[in-house]
Amino acid sequence: YRQKIESKLQKSEAYTEIPESTFKIPNRIKQFFVFLTRDVKAKLTNTQYLVINLFEAPLLAFILAYLVKFYNTDISNKTGYIFRENENLTAYLFMSVVVALFIGLTVSAEEIIRDRKILKRESFLNLSHSSYLVSKISIMFILSAIQTICFVLLGNWILEVKDLTMDYWFILFTTSCFANMLGLNISSAFNSAVTIYILIPFLLIPQLLLSGVIVKFEKLNPEITSQKNVPVTGEMMASRWAFEALAVNQFKNNKFERQFYSYNKEISTADFKKNFWVKQLDAKVDKCESYLADPKFKEEVTSGLALLQKEISKEEKRVKSIKYGLTSNLTYSAFNSDIAAKTRDYLTRLNKYYIRRSNKASAAKDSLVSTLNDTEQKKASFLKKKNEYENESLSDLVNNTNELNKIIETADGELIQRAEPIFLDPYDSNIRAHFYAPRKKVFGKYFDTYWVNSIVIWFMSLLMIITLYFDVLRKLIEGGGNIFERFSKKKV
């Protein structure tokens, strides 16, 4: 009977013998855990390594936060430290990014060069190179996560930065991971630890200079800068993406400002249009009309009409309720006094439209403020929240308050807004935008700057992983050395 049952089970389609190899762990995964375990044990036995890397971040956080915790020491100040009045918050944000880059670089700069002798001895075993790299990257990322959370928790606690702890941690962790990958690349490419540590300042200095903080992007050498968007040299710097993400997120998403941000944005947009943009175009119409009859001003009139055509075309797409329909007539051959009058009429209607928008948003904001202050208890709570979450120095920075030129005309015939960039959405750029843009346009849709910038830095890290895997930097250095050597021999 037993034999019959076993025979039926063997013939059944539901019965399939599972090969033993199915349960085996792939060699690459085994090797990954071997590399990971060996590296972790080596680091745990190195007391000096552990002490430096675990206490470096909180120590830097304490030094930085303590030094920049400014408050007015005048005898009239009975409150003491107030977050809103700390003029050094922007310095803290910038230095936090620098610290993330620094500790990410230093912790990874010797990782591969330190293992070179071991790897050479094990090369005959045909071990998986990818498993080794993944184990290294995993350890670096875990260590960076621990370092950055320690930095943020202590630094933000001292400076009383509230509510955005995980946002700070994620962007600094992201930045540190990029630095990890940069460090692993140079560790793989060079043969001397001394060379690597000499190279680190050359990697960090561009990150500082081209971050948009020390020198404004529009104030860089005109040969390399852009008046409309962040220049390409700045786009290549992880520090630029990280600092912008921190500054924009701290300003618009803190508990106080996010109540009013939409109203402030509407007011800012309308006020800029009616106070600067419309007036600039009005003046351009007057100039073109007065110079039209004089042939020697033909080039100036032509460029002025091209600017009017470009700016009004964009505005017609934004404000479809107010019609113009004469952009094709804004040329040297078609422009006349009648077109000038109709253009002025269009700009007047636009001005009234933006006045209404500004008044409506102001009334809505005033109503909300009134509701939040209708009792003495609410007034105290309102002021407390403002002091704890808003920062005047950061507001001045992202609003570009110190910029005297609120609007500029570029050489290619376009008006660029310099006032309050934190309320200006980029119009036609894809990912690229002006500094402190609140949102970025990606494939025609707007996304919050914080998340777009984070993804960009992770994409840069991915590129570093690819170059590390294929040993691109070492090959480039060796190739350059070979070319130089051949050139030297020919010269001799």
Side-chain angles (χ1 to χ4, degrees), residues 84 89-90 247 251 254 257 389-401 420-423:
R84 179 171 59 87
L89 179 65
T90 54
F251 175 81
N254 68 73
E257 176 61 27
Y389 294 99
E390 190 182 61
N391 183 265
E392 292 173 354
S393 175
L394 181 64
S395 298
D396 290 343
L397 180 74
V398 298
N399 281 294
N400 212 7
T401 305
E420 301 180 341
I422 189 64
F423 298 115

Side-chain angles (χ1 to χ4, degrees), residues 15-19:
Y15 178 81
T16 305
E17 186 176 357
I18 302 173

Side-chain angles (χ1 to χ4, degrees), residues 145-401:
I146 295 169
Q147 288 178 315
T148 47
I149 193 64
C150 290
F151 180 90
V152 169
L153 288 174
L154 185 57
N156 284 20
W157 176 72
I158 293 172
L159 282 183
E160 299 180 21
V161 182
K162 299 182 178 180
D163 186 41
L164 299 170
T165 301
M166 293 311 296
D167 290 1
Y168 273 73
W169 169 77
F170 182 73
I171 198 68
L172 293 181
F173 167 65
T174 299
T175 306
S176 193
C177 288
F178 166 79
N180 289 156
M181 298 316 307
L182 188 58
L184 289 177
N185 269 273
I186 63 172
S187 181
S188 174
F190 294 94
N191 297 321
S192 167
V194 175
T195 305
I196 290 170
Y197 283 104
I198 290 173
L199 188 63
I200 284 178
F202 291 96
L203 297 174
L204 283 177
I205 288 171
Q207 296 283 348
L208 305 182
L209 185 60
L210 297 173
S211 62
V213 182
I214 295 177
V215 181
K216 289 184 178 182
F217 287 124
E218 62 269 20
K219 306 295 183 184
L220 289 170
N221 188 324
E223 296 292 331
I224 62 169
T225 194
S226 166
Q227 295 300 322
K228 183 178 180 180
N229 298 322
V230 173
V232 175
T233 50
E235 303 284 32
M236 296 167 63
M237 301 297 125
S239 57
R240 161 263 190 276
W241 298 97
F243 178 78
E244 183 186 45
L246 280 176
V248 169
N249 194 57
Q250 174 64 46
F251 175 81
K252 64 177 283 203
N253 289 326
N254 68 73
K255 276 188 179 178
F256 182 80
E257 176 61 27
R258 65 182 173 220
Q259 302 172 97
F260 309 107
Y261 181 79
S262 59
Y263 302 118
N264 289 335
K265 184 175 183 179
E266 183 73 10
I267 294 167
S268 173
T269 301
D271 286 353
F272 173 79
K273 289 290 185 180
K274 66 185 179 66
N275 294 333
F276 300 102
W277 185 82
V278 169
K279 288 182 179 179
Q280 190 89 346
L281 292 191
D282 257 327
K284 191 66 70 174
V285 171
D286 292 342
K287 193 174 184 179
C288 289
E289 186 180 19
S290 62
Y291 287 172
L292 188 62
D294 196 337
K296 70 180 182 180
F297 292 111
K298 180 178 179 181
E299 186 177 341
E300 195 170 344
V301 172
T302 302
S303 62
L305 290 172
L307 182 142
L308 285 167
Q309 189 177 62
K310 184 182 287 187
E311 291 296 319
I312 291 175
S313 294
K314 289 191 292 186
E315 195 64 21
E316 281 186 299
K317 293 176 183 177
R318 291 192 189 102
V319 185
K320 296 180 180 179
S321 59
I322 300 178
K323 305 296 181 182
Y324 176 66
L326 297 172
T327 51
S328 59
N329 294 70
L330 295 173
T331 61
Y332 188 79
S333 58
F335 189 72
N336 53 42
S337 297
D338 183 51
I339 299 297
K342 289 179 178 178
T343 305
R344 287 193 197 91
D345 176 64
Y346 170 73
L347 292 173
T348 301
R349 286 183 285 131
L350 266 180
N351 191 59
K352 291 178 180 177
Y353 166 78
Y354 281 116
I355 289 172
R356 290 194 300 270
R357 279 182 59 174
S358 178
N359 291 341
K360 183 179 179 182
S362 296
K365 180 184 175 182
D366 291 343
S367 176
L368 177 59
V369 171
S370 178
T371 303
L372 295 172
N373 286 274
D374 57 4
T375 65
E376 289 299 321
Q377 186 177 359
K378 283 186 177 181
K379 279 183 183 179
S381 177
F382 180 86
L383 182 59
K384 184 173 183 291
K385 186 177 283 189
K386 184 174 184 177
N387 286 335
E388 289 180 348
Y389 294 99
E390 190 182 61
N391 183 265
E392 292 173 354
S393 175
L394 181 64
S395 298
D396 290 343
L397 180 74
V398 298
N399 281 294
N400 212 7
T401 305

Side-chain angles (χ1 to χ4, degrees), residues 68-209:
V68 302
K69 190 173 182 177
F70 166 80
Y71 58 92
N72 185 9
T73 55
D74 188 85
I75 195 170
S76 61
N77 182 12
K78 306 296 183 183
T79 309
Y81 176 77
I82 300 174
F83 176 74
R84 179 171 59 87
E85 297 176 355
N86 187 351
E87 298 177 13
N88 299 320
L89 179 65
T90 54
Y92 173 72
L93 297 182
F94 178 60
M95 288 306 299
S96 297
V97 173
V98 174
V99 168
L101 287 168
F102 176 75
I103 61 178
L105 262 174
T106 54
V107 80
S108 59
E110 280 192 73
E111 282 299 309
I112 294 177
I113 201 172
R114 192 188 294 126
D115 292 345
R116 192 155 285 162
K117 290 181 179 178
I118 299 173
L119 293 173
K120 193 172 183 180
R121 287 199 301 267
E122 294 176 344
S123 59
F124 71 95
L125 296 174
N126 197 28
L127 298 176
S128 170
H129 181 59
S130 60
S131 297
Y132 169 75
L133 292 180
V134 171
S135 70
K136 279 290 179 190
I137 293 169
S138 301
I139 292 171
M140 292 299 98
F141 282 10
I142 291 169
L143 187 56
S144 290
I146 295 169
Q147 288 178 315
T148 47
I149 193 64
C150 290
F151 180 90
V152 169
L153 288 174
L154 185 57
N156 284 20
W157 176 72
I158 293 172
L159 282 183
E160 299 180 21
V161 182
K162 299 182 178 180
D163 186 41
L164 299 170
T165 301
M166 293 311 296
D167 290 1
Y168 273 73
W169 169 77
F170 182 73
I171 198 68
L172 293 181
F173 167 65
T174 299
T175 306
S176 193
C177 288
F178 166 79
N180 289 156
M181 298 316 307
L182 188 58
L184 289 177
N185 269 273
I186 63 172
S187 181
S188 174
F190 294 94
N191 297 321
S192 167
V194 175
T195 305
I196 290 170
Y197 283 104
I198 290 173
L199 188 63
I200 284 178
F202 291 96
L203 297 174
L204 283 177
I205 288 171
Q207 296 283 348
L208 305 182
L209 185 60

